[in-house]
Amino acid sequence: MNSPDHAAQVVGVHAGDSAPATAAGTTSFQGTGMAATAQGYNFAYLDEQTKRMIRRAILKAVAIPGYQVPFGSREMPLPYGWGTGGIQVTAAIIGPNDVLKVIDQGSDDTTNAVNIRRFFAATTGVATTERTTQASIIQTRHRIPETPLAEGQVLVYQVPIPEPLRWLEPSETETRRMHALEEYGLMHVKLYEDIAHYGHIATTYDYPVRVNGRYLMRPSPIPKFDNPKMDMNPALQLFGAGREKRIYAVPPYTRVESLDFEDHPFEIQTWDECCEFCGSKGSFLDEIVIDDAGGRMFVCSDSDYCSQRRAGQANGGDAVAAQQSQQSQQSPNVTGVPGVPGVSDRPPAQPAETASS
Amino acid sequence: MATASASAPEFSSTHGPLLRVNAVTRLYGERTGCRNVSFDLHQGEVLAIAGESGSGKTTLLNCIAGRSRPTAGTVEYNLRHEGLRDIYRLSEARLRLLARTDWGFVHQNPRDGLRIDVSAGANVGERLMAIGDRHYGRIRDTTGDWMRRVELDTSRIDDAPATFSGGMQQRLQIARNLVTHPRLMFMDEPTASLDVSVQARLLDLLRGLASELGLAAIVVTHDLAVARLLAHRLLIMKSGEVVESGLTDQVLDDPQHPYTQLLVSSVLQA
Ligand SMILES: Nc1ncnc2c1ncn2[C@@H]1O[C@H](COP(=O)(O)OP(=O)(O)OP(=O)(O)O)[C@@H](O)[C@H]1O
Ligand SMILES: [Mg+2]
Ligand SMILES: [Zn+2]
């Protein structure tokens, strides 16, 4: 499982991570990924029996899209807030030939992403990458990559709270019954309350969806901007909640609809600005404060997407740029109003530029 | 699952009784909740169940309303196209749909019957959303109409029920149930938590709505004055059994059973 070829590939694809003691991490695995997997641990840390148990849960989840399958969540050498559900799912599906990408808020470089990537590099020896197109498994928190995913790729989400009905119904027995009987009116009560109090649906993250016309699902705290990407996606989408011990899935090419009202249709965030670095008008932008005088700029939250675009521009508009422009035709065309993450959107400046579920 | 229309999907047949309670017994282990209760209820008819504390009124009501399976006996409801059907033989999904469209349930404590965390409007609109209404403006209009009909100030539509008085909360609970045009309402001591002056107004409102809407209702009360004001017919319960029943005025003016006589005289004394 850990040939020298592999080790070479790790270095080649993602040399940065293998340098020891570069970042403060919470795991003991940092810096061990270069030449061999960590001694004394099974491949991907979990024992084979646990992995089989998790795979059975995943298979059931794939068979019933959007349904939350309980599983025997294990203690992981990372705190719960770090995405132990997603890590266990990844550990159960990863093989020696996989290429792993880990993102947090769209970035490969946050402490969380770096540590999870290191953890798997150390315990599996697999190649890691920052390139969305080169990854076979992408573990994510808070974003779906801007670059469209392809058949054969797996997107693993880290889920803090899996139950969409939890906000108003604290009883697990009752929420299970509501799922079984498709009693989902309560979810619209929440959207109703948004409109009554704010004049529009103010939910901007973890926006509830209906999967395959059946199960109500929490997409994890991704921005609603990413919701349309879940719909009919060619990749397999797996969701893992460690603390709550639930796994659920959206198989490739499955319908995913964002809930809304006829007279208040689902809309994604839009921005007046474009990315300061790559000029993108079709990606999710983060606002960054750049000086004490209140100066700000907007940049792509997806760092790989941004750097690929810049590389393409440096080459004078090559295939990458062509691919991007094609992509922004498919995805909802986004320009317009600022949507600072965490702050509800203002009304869209251009009515056509919204996506209805 | 349900149509997008705001009206109740289950309409009762116009033939025969709306509800048939047949020899219903509910035991709690050795203890009797209620025993061998039978009666028919017709469209538009209001029935009161009275009796002292512990006589089995709430137990019987919960059996009839599909909330607690009887130990023996049947509860049949007149479903459209199907006539009388044993409600405990319906699927859970169907029974729950029936209970939140064609029936209503008003609790003694409004906190048991309201969602205290969401606005008054959301409380009233919830049933509409539950049966598939997906038009915010329409839900809001209907909600406002029902708030007016129960004499709630529509300017309070976005306020939390916790900021309402007890009487207002009860009226909100009633509006929340009526929004799907149910045929049958169950009420467990609907006025008992209220001040006497507020009770009278609410009873007036209930009586007006019931006759206007042709509602059938089963009202549990320990207060014979409530029965007198609201109910066409009256059941008197003692130790889980019905000891006397008949037209309300008849039972109250000329009680036959010694227990009823005692109840009526104690009311007169009070
Ligand atoms: N969940 C239960 N478990 C055991 N016994 C119960 C239960 N509920 C009611 N009982 C018993 O059944 C009998 C009838 O109770 P019930 O609550 O139906 O009376 P009630 O007429 O509604 O009284 P009240 O006027 O005080 O509300 C009582 O003896 C009561 O103790
Ligand atoms: Mg009672
Ligand atoms: Zn960019």
Side-chain angles (χ1 to χ4, degrees):
Chain A
M1 70 181 183
N2 189 33
S3 66
D5 276 5
H6 245 104
Q9 202 184 350
V10 173
V11 176
V13 177
H14 205 96
D17 266 6
S18 49
T22 45
T26 59
T27 78
S28 56
F29 298 99
Q30 61 190 36
T32 55
M34 180 177 265
T37 55
Q39 291 300 306
Y41 289 97
N42 196 31
F43 183 78
Y45 184 80
L46 294 174
D47 62 86
E48 294 305 312
Q49 195 186 342
T50 298
K51 283 194 265 181
R52 275 196 295 274
M53 176 270 292
I54 294 173
R55 285 178 204 135
R56 275 196 296 273
I58 292 171
L59 285 174
K60 183 167 179 182
V62 169
I64 316 170
Y67 174 78
Q68 298 168 50
V69 181
F71 78 110
S73 181
R74 293 289 190 267
E75 289 300 321
M76 299 298 287
L78 289 161
Y80 276 123
W82 287 66
T84 57
I87 292 169
Q88 289 176 83
V89 168
T90 298
I93 62 168
I94 200 166
N97 296 323
D98 274 310
V99 179
L100 178 69
K101 172 180 164 77
V102 182
I103 48 171
D104 176 20
Q105 309 272 10
S107 163
D108 301 73
D109 299 329
T110 67
T111 316
N112 183 302
V114 169
N115 272 301
I116 293 172
R117 190 166 55 229
R118 261 202 197 117
F119 171 79
F120 281 112
T123 57
T124 66
V126 303
T128 62
T129 182
E130 294 188 1
R131 297 284 303 276
T132 298
T133 49
Q134 292 182 2
S136 58
I137 300 174
I138 302 169
Q139 179 166 331
T140 181
R141 182 172 81 155
H142 295 178
R143 280 309 311 278
I144 297 174
E146 306 288 4
T147 308
L149 301 177
E151 285 181 17
Q153 289 185 301
V154 184
L155 186 59
V156 178
Y157 297 75
Q158 301 169 201
V159 179
I161 303 167
E163 178 49 68
L165 298 163
R166 181 65 70 237
W167 76 282
L168 246 191
E169 183 49 70
S171 155
E172 174 73 17
T173 318
E174 185 59 19
T175 53
R176 275 198 214 182
R177 181 177 290 129
M178 291 160 94
H179 281 294
L181 301 176
E182 273 183 85
E183 291 183 0
Y184 291 146
L186 207 52
M187 211 62 234
H188 272 88
V189 172
K190 180 175 165 60
L191 302 182
Y192 170 98
E193 284 291 89
D194 268 7
I195 301 171
H197 293 302
Y198 308 108
H200 61 271
I201 299 176
T203 306
T204 52
Y205 282 82
D206 216 346
Y207 190 105
V209 295
R210 195 85 184 259
V211 179
N212 203 27
R214 177 59 180 87
Y215 282 96
L216 191 64
M217 189 186 90
R218 264 180 110 124
S220 86
I222 57 171
K224 66 177 180 174
F225 179 90
D226 286 341
N227 274 22
K229 296 177 188 159
M230 287 187 287
D231 182 39
M232 301 306 280
N233 197 307
L236 169 62
Q237 302 173 74
L238 300 177
F239 300 76
R243 189 173 34 217
E244 305 230 6
K245 305 176 169 47
R246 292 287 184 281
I247 287 170
Y248 48 100
V250 175
Y253 301 109
T254 301
R255 255 186 316 134
V256 177
E257 300 155 282
S258 302
L259 302 194
D260 62 1
F261 287 101
E262 289 157 27
D263 47 345
H264 287 266
F266 174 77
E267 295 175 351
I268 61 171
Q269 290 105 329
T270 56
W271 289 262
D272 279 335
E273 294 79 4
C274 53
C275 173
E276 192 82 13
F277 296 150
C278 75
S280 172
K281 291 182 167 184
S283 68
F284 189 89
L285 299 181
D286 284 339
E287 187 183 6
I288 297 177
V289 178
I290 48 175
D291 55 38
D292 292 342
R296 334 173 284 174
M297 65 176 186
F298 289 83
V299 297
C300 291
S301 118
D302 184 334
S303 50
D304 171 58
Y305 171 82
C306 195
S307 58
Q308 294 310 313
R309 274 180 59 91
R310 274 179 285 164
Q313 287 154 4
N315 294 345
D318 65 0
V320 175
Q323 183 201 344
Q324 306 298 4
S325 76
Q326 186 191 6
Q327 173 198 334
S328 62
Q329 279 163 16
Q330 295 167 357
S331 64
N333 189 12
V334 188
T335 59
V337 178
V340 180
V343 177
S344 55
D345 337 79
R346 292 176 225 161
Q350 293 159 321
E353 293 174 345
T354 56
S356 181
S357 61
Chain B
M1 167 180 77
T3 65
S5 126
S7 55
E10 304 266 10
F11 291 103
S12 307
S13 147
T14 49
H15 307 292
L18 182 65
L19 179 80
R20 172 162 288 166
V21 177
N22 187 34
V24 163
T25 294
R26 176 68 165 89
L27 306 176
Y28 299 103
E30 299 286 280
R31 190 177 297 148
T32 300
C34 63
R35 187 181 295 278
N36 199 28
V37 178
S38 301
F39 64 86
D40 283 356
L41 185 76
H42 291 267
Q43 184 80 51
E45 190 178 28
V46 179
L47 174 81
I49 302 174
E52 66 190 359
S53 181
S55 58
K57 307 181 295 293
T58 296
T59 300
L60 177 61
L61 190 73
N62 285 334
C63 285
I64 299 168
R67 301 161 72 92
S68 163
R69 185 182 286 274
T71 312
T74 56
V75 178
E76 294 170 284
Y77 184 72
N78 205 334
L79 295 172
R80 186 190 189 191
H81 302 313
E82 292 173 62
L84 287 174
R85 284 283 308 273
D86 184 344
I87 62 166
Y88 287 99
R89 285 171 181 270
L90 299 175
S91 69
E92 188 186 9
R94 188 122 188 255
L95 179 57
R96 280 169 69 115
L97 182 63
L98 186 69
R100 61 162 188 257
T101 53
D102 216 19
W103 296 351
F105 200 107
V106 177
H107 297 259
Q108 170 171 352
N109 184 347
R111 287 188 166 260
D112 296 333
L114 291 174
R115 285 196 189 279
I116 226 72
D117 309 333
V118 301
S119 67
N123 268 279
V124 179
E126 181 178 345
R127 278 183 167 216
L128 298 175
M129 293 180 249
I131 59 171
D133 199 324
R134 295 289 176 260
H135 193 282
Y136 176 82
R138 197 166 55 215
I139 292 166
R140 200 136 169 105
D141 289 347
T142 311
T143 298
D145 283 348
W146 280 104
M147 285 183 70
R148 267 188 293 277
R149 292 184 81 161
V150 298
E151 297 163 10
L152 284 171
D153 180 356
T154 52
S155 74
R156 304 291 301 270
I157 190 167
D158 295 330
D159 293 353
T163 67
F164 285 21
S165 71
M168 289 164 72
Q169 290 180 354
Q170 264 333 37
R171 277 177 276 150
L172 187 63
Q173 209 191 154
I174 291 161
R176 168 175 160 81
N177 279 283
L178 290 180
V179 72
T180 50
H181 302 276
R183 293 297 181 92
L184 174 58
M185 289 280 271
F186 301 99
M187 300 186 231
D188 194 351
E189 307 272 13
T191 60
S193 64
L194 305 175
D195 296 343
V196 178
S197 61
V198 182
Q199 280 190 12
R201 273 192 67 195
L202 189 73
L203 286 171
D204 237 31
L205 176 76
L206 274 175
R207 191 164 65 158
L209 284 170
S211 72
E212 193 183 318
L213 302 169
L215 263 179
I218 300 180
V219 185
V220 160
T221 180
H222 63 274
D223 185 347
L224 294 180
V226 169
R228 171 88 83 179
L229 205 66
L230 282 184
H232 306 113
R233 280 199 301 145
L234 176 59
L235 296 186
I236 305 290
M237 292 187 74
K238 179 181 187 300
S239 309
E241 298 190 37
V242 175
V243 293
E244 185 161 359
S245 68
L247 295 174
T248 306
D249 289 342
Q250 200 175 324
V251 172
L252 294 181
D253 294 342
D254 186 17
Q256 299 300 305
H257 193 278
Y259 176 72
T260 315
Q261 291 167 354
L262 193 72
L263 272 185
V264 170
S265 64
S266 62
V267 165
L268 293 177
Q269 280 159 18

